[in-house]
Amino acid sequence: MLLTYYFWIKAVKSGSIMWSASCALAYFYMVSSWGGYVFLINLIPLHVLALMFTGHFSHRVYVAYSTVYILGTILSMQIPFVGFQPVQSSEHMLAFGTFGLCQLFSFIEYVKSKLTKTQFDTLFSFALVTVGFAAAGAGVVLWASGKIAPWTGRFYALLDPSYAKNHIPIIASVSEHQPTAWSSFFFDFELLVFMFPVGIYYCFKELTDANIFIIMYGMTSIYFAGVMVRLMLVLAPVMCVLSGIGISSVLTTYMRNLDVNQLKKSVTSTAQSSTRARRNDDSSSYPRKNEIAFGVVCMMTFFLMTYVFHCTWVTSEAYSSPSIVLSARSGDGSRYIFDDFREAYWWLRYNTDEDAKVMSWWDYGYQITAMANRTILVDNNTWNNTHISRVGQAMSSTEDKAYEIMRELDVDYVLVIFGGLIGYSSDDINKFLWMVRIGGSTEKGAHIKESDYFTPQGEFRVDKSGSPTLLNCLMYKLSYYRFGETYTEQDKPPGYDRTRSVEIGNKNFELEKLEEAYTTEHWLVRI
Amino acid sequence: MSQIGEVAGILRKLYDEYRTTTPKKLKLIDAYLVYVMLTGIIQFAYCLLVGTFPFNSFLSGFISTVGCFVLAASLRIQLNKANRSTFNVTPERAFADFVFAHIILHLVVMNFIG
């Protein structure tokens, strides 16, 4: 993404076709790696439109954008997932429209240079009437006949954040899609949060083509980062760039006023006021210029040093631990490792048939595929909503109904994550409501209603007062099988769930259609 | 309708001025541009009349014509002496870039045409 933007800026600045072609190649690489390429293919046309509105549209921009658009579009259509979307879906229409506008603009400029003003005006108004009507008519026909598809759910949810919650539970269920708390901005960026507006101010002071681009990139990405936590990664580079501009402008302004000789002289001798009068820089004069400059530079240095400490601490604490091996500190301070995930995946790899199929929730799909090397039903790509919904229906139904669904899907093993023995809070029972919502969101699962799994008072409980539908569904039975006889904590009854802090309601039941194959050491993974 | 007469007069004047002021090199590129545009129009008309069955082939061919048009137009802009101030590329560099972009364009078109 950054490479594409770098080449784009180079192309706009130089107007050379080579940089534009390189930009298209970098864009191709971006399309092949992430669905976020839609951001690029909308930001670049937005930039071109902004240049048109501010009067910066030049031949360089025409050359750059036309080359990038044409080469980029045909390259992006080579990726099977994208297919023909660049000419059919609404997300790409802005780029297409801007391309047409570019051609029109340049042609009008060319004709204008050949005619006098009055002649040009008559020709222009004539052309506007005839061609304009034809184009508008064609556009309306295409839109009304549905040839141009509206914005798809994934991206529409960015413009209208409540859309996913109301209509598409699988998008709403991903924790990375939640709106960002302001504290995560500070946690990830610290000083940059304050230097970002400073950088924007300095960009506005000198509006070149590249500065307009950076301003737009900053504004759009900060909006999107506010809507969805995972888009912080789109914001991070531009935060760094703009803060860098801010910090370096501040430092340059104040360093200019700093005169090291002046400081040395004022230390060694006292009567040096004449040197101050002979300074010939043109910054506005105010008393004690030197001292204030020195103070500001020291303050900036202090901020930068604390920023480095903060970043190294955050990286080591929050972004360095693998999420597949858990650790905790035991009573005497030593580290205790929970390696249950890998234990279960290795068991699957070496103790099951090569073509066995495993049913689990989609969160663990990629892990099972990579480490256990077995076929799974649904994975993190979450591409097939109906299929995931079917798995959700199986998890939410009673054992008999679930058995029918599992026979239909040809499942050999079911894998669940259970945190009740050690108090792990990201287990499948805590995610269970999302399975119910997603299971109930398609046609075959219409009988699954979320309210059935709550108590009459509307609470989600797994103890004696929990709803009978919940206490008899497959997920409950698979998680709590044989848990009723297990002691988890001192002076608590057997079957005490440490994550939910209650004693479970349905103990001592037998599984009729399934059989326990393997449970890991701390009962984290049950197969 | 006097307006149409006026417009026709302006167009004729435009054409005369074009013939006299444009250097030969640029006229050559302009002829190529017209040819490419005609090819594109023919392809599009075929698509409208006969249908879009091998859609990827249609897209590939059409984008090839649009791409050639755009690249040649960019080359023309860069070679035009009047625009020397906005670009800092020599004519040789402009032509080399043109060839580079064309290689990429045709490789992709060959792959896409199916």
Side-chain angles (χ1 to χ4, degrees), chain A residues 15-16 18 66 78 119 122, chain B residues 6 10 13 70 78 97 108 111:
Chain A
S16 131
M18 183 191 83
S66 310
Q78 305 307 302
Q119 290 170 328
T122 358
Chain B
E6 243 178 80
I10 294 174
K13 183 171 177 304
V70 157
Q78 287 179 343
D97 290 347
V108 187
N111 183 36

Side-chain angles (χ1 to χ4, degrees), chain A residues 365-406:
Chain A
Y366 283 159
Q367 287 177 358
I368 299 176
T369 312
M371 284 193 258
N373 200 25
R374 293 287 174 267
T375 317
I376 36 109
L377 294 186
V378 287
D379 67 11
N380 308 59
N381 196 9
T382 67
W383 196 46
N384 190 342
N385 196 22
T386 321
H387 208 51
I388 297 177
S389 177
R390 204 91 182 98
V391 172
Q393 288 155 30
M395 297 293 194
S396 329
S397 317
T398 56
E399 209 181 330
D400 300 323
K401 288 248 166 26
Y403 182 71
E404 284 168 22
I405 300 179
M406 289 194 285

